[in-house]
Amino acid sequence: MSLKDKLVSSFMAFENNVDVEHPVHEVRVDALKNFENKGFPSKKEEAWKYTSLKSLEKIDFSIFPKEKNTLEYKDVKEYFINEIDTYKIVFIDGIFSSYLSETTHDGVDICLMSSALSKPMYKQIIEVYFNKIASKDDSLTTLNTAFSKEGAYIYIPKNKMPKKPIEIIHFATGNEASLMLQPRNLVVVEENAEVQILERHQSLTSNEVLTNCVTEIFAADSAIVDYYKIQNDAENASLIDNTYVNQKNKSVVNVHTFSFGGKLTRNNLNFFQNGEYMDSVMKGVTILGAKQHVDHHTLVHHIEPNCESHQDYKGIFAENSTGVFNGKIIVDKIAQKTNAFQQNNNILISDKATINTKPQLEIFADDVKCSHGCTIGQLDEDAMFYLQSRGIPQKEARALLMYAFANNVLASVRIPELKIRINKLIANKLGVNLGFDI
Amino acid sequence: MLQIKNLHASVEDKEILKGINLEVKPGEVHAIMGPNGSGKSTLSSVIAGKEEFEVTEGQVILEGEDLEDVSPEERAHKGIFLSFQYPVEIPGVSVTNFMKTAINEGRKAKGLEDMPANEMLKLIREKSEMLEIDRKFLSRSLNEGFSGGEKKRNEIFQMAMLEPKVAILDETDSGLDIDALRIVSNGVNKLRSKDNAVIVITHYQRLLEYIVPDFVHVLHNGKIVKSGGKELALELEEKGYDWLKNEATV
């Protein structure tokens, strides 16, 4: 049975475990129809030209874990930003782990999607926001919507800010030979409220894992959202991440994506600017080796005037790794005074590594500033000579320069401990001891 | 200490150095002056081992050892230091961390352990005070957003930390105001000893009022066309380079 057929036929079993009377269930049923019609995207589609899901479709994934698994904190501590105190929403093989989590209802709601989708007190918020910006057309998004049941639910009321950052972590134990996960997150940040969120998907063995995740983020007037995606997963873990952001007047949403691990990663990051004087920031560092593949597809839709968007993606590709960057910017006719900037710089350090990079600008307004630039290159010879002339050998000099190249993107990371973590990950990934503590 | 014998060097088949001879003894300061395009910066890069330049003839000898096929990092370990005219910006790597890396790589090459942290800190403090460098400056990313003066002061700070045998200062005076020039020159003068040597490469005489040379050489069209004492620098300041160009053609 194909993975598509298996998923479609699992839906009945899924229905036994959710409230089919809840209005959300109608949304699920419609979404399943869309997925059933479309199936998995193929390389014939322009947006999937360089990323093939074929080999993943051949794997016999379990759609639901057979049993509830547990983990000891000491065994997974390293995957948390354990230097600082955080709220934690933790899942093990798709099932919430109250033991590893720290949720709250103290002025803000940092809890579970399953509660939000079933308890009456959340009904109104769910009605207003759930599946309102996630695509009803994209097959993978609708696949997730059809099976949406669990994930993180974060609601920050007007003028509030949680006391500490929030970590959303999905562990896969590997107790299943191969497991498919479909988390669904909803983040609503009301007027003048602020939140910092870290998200990570972590497989603990080399067994196959496929995660198809959807996150909807709503930032009301003057809201500030910092979202950090840490993608440093195990060798046989693949991730399709679909993030949809809806912004209103004067809001700022920053999404940082750090892609170092995993087998296949596809990031679909979509921003809709429904208001004026706002800023959408997308930053990414990608460092790959072996046969790893990471595909960043970004979309910024400038719908109203006087807004900005900033994209800065850096990639370093070694061995047989492949990268894709496709950045689409749409500026509507009325969206005058838009400032949209996009940068994608890449370094290939192997003859066998590949990057496909494409800016896609659709500009219908005439008074706008839009710039885009992509570069693919090697390291600067003068910089190499400078470092060598200080006694730093070629190999270390090269690592230091790559570190500096990638590090540039980190200036906007506002959690210092996270910045240190990412710095260390970058240094490790480059395989060289830089000779100092970062 | 450093001998340059009939040095010819080219880049992309274009000969830039056309037979340079120079002998620098311990304790000496040599100034190399000359108009733009005379080969001053090429000479400094070739001594430091930049691979872009091909040495077609002649030798660079440090303490009796021919430096042919010696990499830039090995030259640094052997005691050559080049202060760059345009230091490169390295975002995300602080001045302190960069110096730790450079020093420990040098020690590794000599088979030594990393310098203990407290010793390193002491050394950094001592040398930064000498160059009137603020503590905050040391935690900034190397050369990123530095003013011209800060970049040059940082180059001399690195020289102070690495304690080279032969230091080449390539246009260290360019972009410096008078205060920065004084601080940088004082630093260089304090680092001078009977065991090391300094080669000052400059277009103007101004720096040589602060770092007084024992010898002044004029480079023109890839050759040293005149050598003399410090008074030669003054003469050049007064008359410009044209009379030498003519003299060289004659």
Side-chain angles (χ1 to χ4, degrees):
Chain A
M1 204 184 334
S2 74
L3 182 58
K4 179 191 159 189
D5 292 343
K6 188 171 182 180
L7 281 159
V8 172
S9 60
S10 306
F11 192 67
M12 270 170 69
F14 172 77
E15 282 183 314
N16 291 333
N17 292 308
V18 293
D19 175 9
V20 293
E21 302 299 321
H22 194 285
V24 160
H25 197 62
E26 242 176 86
V27 177
R28 292 192 189 108
V29 172
D30 287 345
L32 186 76
K33 276 183 204 147
N34 185 71
F35 174 71
E36 208 174 344
N37 286 335
K38 293 211 161 113
F40 284 98
S42 79
K43 287 186 93 171
K44 285 183 195 133
E45 291 170 46
E46 187 61 28
W48 290 86
K49 196 173 167 185
Y50 300 110
T51 298
S52 172
L53 300 178
K54 272 274 168 296
S55 64
L56 287 172
E57 284 176 61
K58 284 180 192 146
I59 297 167
D60 186 25
F61 286 106
S62 303
I63 309 297
F64 315 111
K66 286 181 200 70
E67 54 184 356
K68 197 174 170 180
N69 294 308
T70 55
L71 292 169
E72 284 299 319
Y73 179 67
K74 66 174 172 51
D75 296 331
V76 291
K77 188 182 166 194
E78 61 178 302
Y79 301 113
F80 294 91
I81 309 297
N82 54 53
E83 304 88 341
I84 53 168
D85 197 13
T86 55
Y87 290 115
K88 297 171 180 70
I89 312 175
V90 182
F91 304 91
I92 301 171
D93 295 334
I95 299 168
F96 177 64
S97 164
S98 59
Y99 171 65
L100 292 176
S101 297
E102 184 187 336
T103 58
T104 186
H105 295 288
D106 181 14
V108 298
D109 286 315
I110 297 168
C111 57
L112 296 185
M113 193 60 150
S114 54
S115 306
L117 287 177
S118 57
K119 292 184 182 162
M121 63 179 287
Y122 300 107
K123 202 171 172 186
Q124 203 196 340
I125 303 282
I126 292 293
E127 258 178 41
V128 176
Y129 295 105
F130 181 80
N131 208 43
K132 289 298 184 286
I133 43 165
S135 171
K136 288 162 193 70
D137 185 48
D138 174 69
S139 68
L140 292 160
T141 302
T142 53
L143 171 63
N144 175 287
T145 304
F147 288 90
S148 56
K149 182 187 167 196
E150 192 55 290
Y153 173 84
I154 296 167
Y155 181 81
I156 315 295
K158 191 173 169 181
N159 298 329
K160 293 276 185 185
M161 181 182 176
K163 288 188 218 73
K164 46 197 184 184
I166 303 162
E167 289 187 90
I168 306 170
I169 305 194
H170 294 269
F171 290 110
T173 57
N175 289 356
E176 307 279 334
S178 49
L179 181 66
M180 183 166 177
L181 296 168
Q182 300 213 65
R184 176 74 173 218
N185 304 318
L186 177 63
V187 178
V188 179
V189 186
E190 294 285 25
E191 196 182 325
N192 205 34
E194 189 174 342
V195 70
Q196 295 180 321
I197 300 168
L198 295 88
E199 181 193 345
R200 135 172 241 166
H201 302 265
Q202 189 63 50
S203 165
L204 301 170
T205 71
S206 59
N207 282 355
E208 292 281 345
V209 180
L210 171 60
T211 303
N212 178 38
C213 184
V214 170
T215 303
E216 291 182 283
I217 301 170
F218 294 86
D221 289 0
S222 304
I224 300 173
V225 180
D226 285 338
Y227 207 106
Y228 302 98
K229 292 172 183 288
I230 303 162
Q231 302 175 341
N232 190 30
D233 213 341
E235 57 184 330
N236 283 327
S238 297
L239 171 68
I240 299 157
D241 185 77
N242 308 281
T243 300
Y244 296 89
V245 184
N246 187 62
Q247 281 184 254
K248 294 210 168 150
N249 300 309
K250 297 180 187 166
S251 62
V252 181
V253 177
N254 304 302
V255 177
H256 289 74
T257 308
F258 303 110
S259 311
F260 307 135
K263 182 162 80 174
L264 178 150
T265 306
R266 165 73 175 232
N267 288 299
N268 296 313
L269 183 52
N270 307 284
F271 276 80
F272 303 96
Q273 294 190 329
N274 279 301
E276 293 192 51
Y277 301 102
M278 68 180 79
D279 195 1
S280 306
V281 181
M282 281 145 274
K283 302 216 171 181
V285 181
T286 305
I287 305 177
L288 301 184
K291 284 185 172 175
Q292 292 180 303
H293 177 87
V294 170
D295 180 344
H296 294 290
H297 262 68
T298 65
L299 163 72
V300 189
H301 192 164
H302 290 270
I303 300 163
E304 303 273 348
N306 301 311
C307 292
E308 299 199 0
S309 66
H310 297 89
Q311 299 184 55
D312 188 359
Y313 281 79
K314 304 258 193 266
I316 298 172
F317 301 89
E319 297 169 307
N320 294 293
S321 62
T322 50
V324 181
F325 177 81
N326 189 105
K328 189 171 182 175
I329 298 172
I330 305 172
V331 183
D332 283 357
K333 200 169 178 186
I334 67 154
Q336 300 293 1
K337 307 279 181 200
T338 290
N339 286 332
F341 305 104
Q342 185 187 87
Q343 269 295 322
N344 174 232
N345 309 106
N346 303 288
I347 294 178
L348 297 178
I349 49 176
S350 143
D351 292 344
K352 288 175 186 155
T354 312
I355 169 81
N356 286 290
T357 172
K358 183 168 118 187
Q360 228 183 320
L361 275 62
E362 295 175 13
I363 300 166
F364 301 99
D366 50 19
D367 184 14
V368 299
K369 274 186 209 155
C370 291
S371 74
H372 65 90
C374 15
T375 59
I376 301 171
Q378 273 86 35
L379 293 170
D380 180 27
E381 292 288 326
D382 288 330
M384 280 295 289
F385 176 56
Y386 183 67
L387 298 193
Q388 286 177 268
S389 79
R390 297 297 181 260
I392 300 171
Q394 204 169 25
K395 186 178 167 223
E396 281 74 13
R398 191 171 283 148
L400 203 62
L401 287 181
M402 287 192 284
Y403 172 80
F405 166 79
N407 183 277
N408 224 350
V409 173
L410 299 184
S412 48
V413 173
R414 296 200 301 162
I415 304 173
E417 295 80 6
L418 175 66
K419 196 189 273 187
I420 292 169
R421 271 290 181 107
I422 299 296
N423 269 329
K424 283 185 180 165
L425 277 176
I426 291 174
N428 286 345
K429 189 74 191 177
L430 294 172
V432 169
N433 179 3
L434 293 168
F436 54 83
D437 292 329
I438 298 154
Chain B
M1 178 162 255
L2 184 77
Q3 288 169 291
I4 296 172
K5 290 184 180 167
N6 190 31
L7 185 67
H8 291 251
S10 332
V11 60
E12 289 164 358
D13 291 332
K14 188 174 179 275
E15 189 168 58
I16 297 174
L17 302 182
K18 300 172 180 170
I20 303 236
N21 290 293
L22 186 68
E23 172 144 21
V24 180
K25 295 198 174 101
E28 290 179 350
V29 175
H30 288 245
I32 295 177
M33 302 183 72
N36 288 330
S38 56
K40 299 193 299 292
S41 282
T42 301
L43 177 61
S44 56
S45 294
V46 170
I47 299 171
K50 194 173 189 184
E51 277 145 23
E52 188 188 324
F53 298 99
E54 195 194 345
V55 175
T56 50
E57 215 183 317
Q59 293 167 300
V60 177
I61 297 163
L62 180 69
E63 294 186 312
E65 184 191 354
D66 188 345
L67 295 183
E68 194 184 352
D69 296 329
V70 175
S71 68
E73 58 267 34
E74 286 166 327
R75 292 180 195 219
H77 301 154
K78 289 177 194 299
I80 288 186
F81 178 86
L82 171 60
S83 165
F84 278 56
Q85 188 177 357
Y86 304 108
V88 178
E89 297 188 2
I90 316 281
V93 180
S94 68
V95 175
T96 304
N97 281 338
F98 180 68
M99 275 336 295
K100 282 184 190 168
T101 307
I103 287 195
N104 285 332
E105 288 296 345
R107 290 173 68 95
K108 206 192 280 174
K110 292 181 183 79
L112 299 170
E113 294 282 303
D114 281 2
M115 185 181 278
N118 55 349
E119 214 175 295
M120 183 78 78
L121 279 175
K122 204 178 137 219
L123 188 66
I124 290 173
R125 197 175 309 135
E126 186 188 309
K127 305 293 184 184
S128 57
E129 275 167 16
M130 186 181 93
L131 287 155
E132 299 175 40
I133 286 173
D134 192 73
R135 185 86 45 97
K136 273 188 222 135
F137 180 86
L138 298 171
S139 55
R140 283 171 64 188
S141 287
L142 186 67
N143 293 323
E144 195 186 26
F146 285 15
S147 69
E150 285 173 330
K151 281 184 180 169
K152 297 301 167 69
R153 202 185 297 188
N154 181 42
E155 290 291 285
I156 303 306
F157 170 66
Q158 294 181 32
M159 171 183 162
M161 291 290 293
L162 294 168
E163 297 179 332
K165 288 176 187 151
V166 179
I168 308 155
L169 311 183
D170 188 6
E171 307 269 0
T172 296
D173 48 338
S174 69
L176 290 190
D177 62 28
I178 202 77
D179 288 330
L181 187 67
R182 182 186 51 79
I183 294 165
V184 162
S185 320
N186 280 347
V188 173
N189 287 330
K190 280 183 201 162
L191 294 169
R192 287 174 63 179
S193 80
K194 61 176 177 38
D195 301 318
N196 62 26
V198 180
I199 300 173
V200 182
I201 291 179
T202 180
H203 194 83
Y204 303 103
Q205 186 265 342
R206 193 176 68 148
L207 179 65
L208 305 180
E209 285 174 18
Y210 296 89
I211 306 171
V212 182
D214 301 300
F215 302 96
V216 174
H217 311 277
V218 182
L219 197 62
H220 173 61
N221 200 16
K223 277 183 174 171
I224 289 174
V225 293
K226 197 169 178 71
S227 294
K230 63 184 174 200
E231 62 290 344
L232 178 57
L234 287 167
E235 204 176 342
L236 287 167
E237 186 79 357
E238 215 172 284
K239 298 194 200 167
Y241 289 106
D242 284 347
W243 62 282
L244 277 171
K245 288 182 193 171
N246 297 336
E247 207 167 82
T249 338
V250 174

